[in-house]
Amino acid sequence: MIRISVIIVNYNARYFLKNCIDSVLSSDIVKNVEIIVVDNNSTDASDEMLQKDFPQVNFLKNDKNLGFSKANNRGVAIA
């Protein structure tokens, strides 16, 4: 049973995104957590890194930068 949803909005922050996900996955709550990344049309290959290194992460890619609030709401909708 998932009890915690972590929603991460990303825009061209591949390095920090990887560190953030690694941190969540190394925590004590990892068995009860889902990670949702909403990407605001990054051009830094964040999507490729996610698919390769974190296939268990739910990933939504916007076709344009919607801004933090709209992207976050998109993640909340599937949490």
Side-chain angles (χ1 to χ4, degrees):
M1 173 194 280
I2 295 173
R3 295 179 178 221
I4 299 171
S5 296
V6 176
I7 300 166
I8 304 166
V9 176
N10 180 61
Y11 179 68
N12 289 330
R14 178 181 165 170
Y15 171 79
F16 297 108
L17 177 61
K18 182 174 182 355
N19 287 342
C20 181
I21 295 170
D22 281 336
S23 179
V24 172
L25 293 177
S26 67
S27 73
D28 293 338
I29 61 167
V30 73
K31 292 180 180 145
N32 295 318
V33 69
E34 72 175 339
I35 301 172
I36 302 166
V37 174
V38 182
D39 186 86
N40 268 331
N41 201 26
S42 294
T43 57
D44 66 349
S46 295
D47 54 346
E48 294 170 10
M49 180 272 299
L50 279 172
Q51 293 169 356
K52 179 182 171 231
D53 296 343
F54 303 104
Q56 72 275 33
V57 169
N58 293 325
F59 177 64
L60 303 170
K61 183 166 178 81
N62 296 327
D63 58 359
K64 65 181 180 176
N65 189 335
L66 300 177
F68 178 80
S69 297
K70 286 183 180 179
N72 196 48
N73 288 340
R74 191 165 180 227
V76 168
I78 68 163

